[in-house]
Amino acid sequence: MVEEEYELVPLSPIRRMEKRLERLEKAGTGTEMIKELIEVVKTNQQIVDDVVRINSDMIKRVSELSQTVDKVANKIDEFISRIEVSEGQVPQAQEQNTELQAKIDRLENRINSMITAANQRKTAPARPMMVRRPLAPRI
């Protein structure tokens, strides 16, 4: 007679292993998960590259803006210095203005006196003009 061996094995660990195997099979094979992970990494790298490119563009624009602001500040400083120079020249200009004003006043007085004199001549009674004979040449 052939002897057969029998062994008692608890079924609960086997059942747990079967359920775990089913979950792994449902999740997909290992290569599919690796492919999905690679796609996620690629997408992530593209996003990082885009962020780095945008960041470098922003740095470039900020540096250009900084240069433009420096130019504007220099122009404003130059403008203010010109204003300060002209302020220093104001007393001298006022002296010249007073001299010019005095000359203008004198001219105005002269013109007024000339106008009044002309008006007086017009209103003065006209003298009869003498008739003159033509001068004969002397011989």
Side-chain angles (χ1 to χ4, degrees), residues 3 12 26 30 37 42 48 65 68 72 107 118 129:
E3 267 185 50
S12 60
K26 285 182 184 177
L37 285 174
K42 285 181 180 178
V48 169
L65 182 63
T68 305
V72 169
L107 283 173
M129 293 186 79

Side-chain angles (χ1 to χ4, degrees), residues 76-91:
I76 289 174
D77 288 341
E78 184 179 322
F79 178 71
I80 289 174
S81 67
R82 287 183 181 177
I83 290 175
E84 290 171 353
V85 167
S86 66
E87 284 177 356
Q89 296 175 352
V90 168

Side-chain angles (χ1 to χ4, degrees), residues 52-95:
V52 167
R53 183 180 46 80
I54 291 171
N55 189 29
S56 64
D57 288 344
M58 292 299 288
I59 290 171
K60 180 182 173 185
R61 288 183 182 174
V62 167
S63 66
E64 289 173 356
L65 182 63
S66 174
Q67 291 172 355
T68 305
V69 167
D70 288 341
K71 289 178 183 177
V72 169
N74 289 337
K75 288 183 180 180
I76 289 174
D77 288 341
E78 184 179 322
F79 178 71
I80 289 174
S81 67
R82 287 183 181 177
I83 290 175
E84 290 171 353
V85 167
S86 66
E87 284 177 356
Q89 296 175 352
V90 168
Q92 185 182 21
Q94 287 177 347
E95 291 174 10

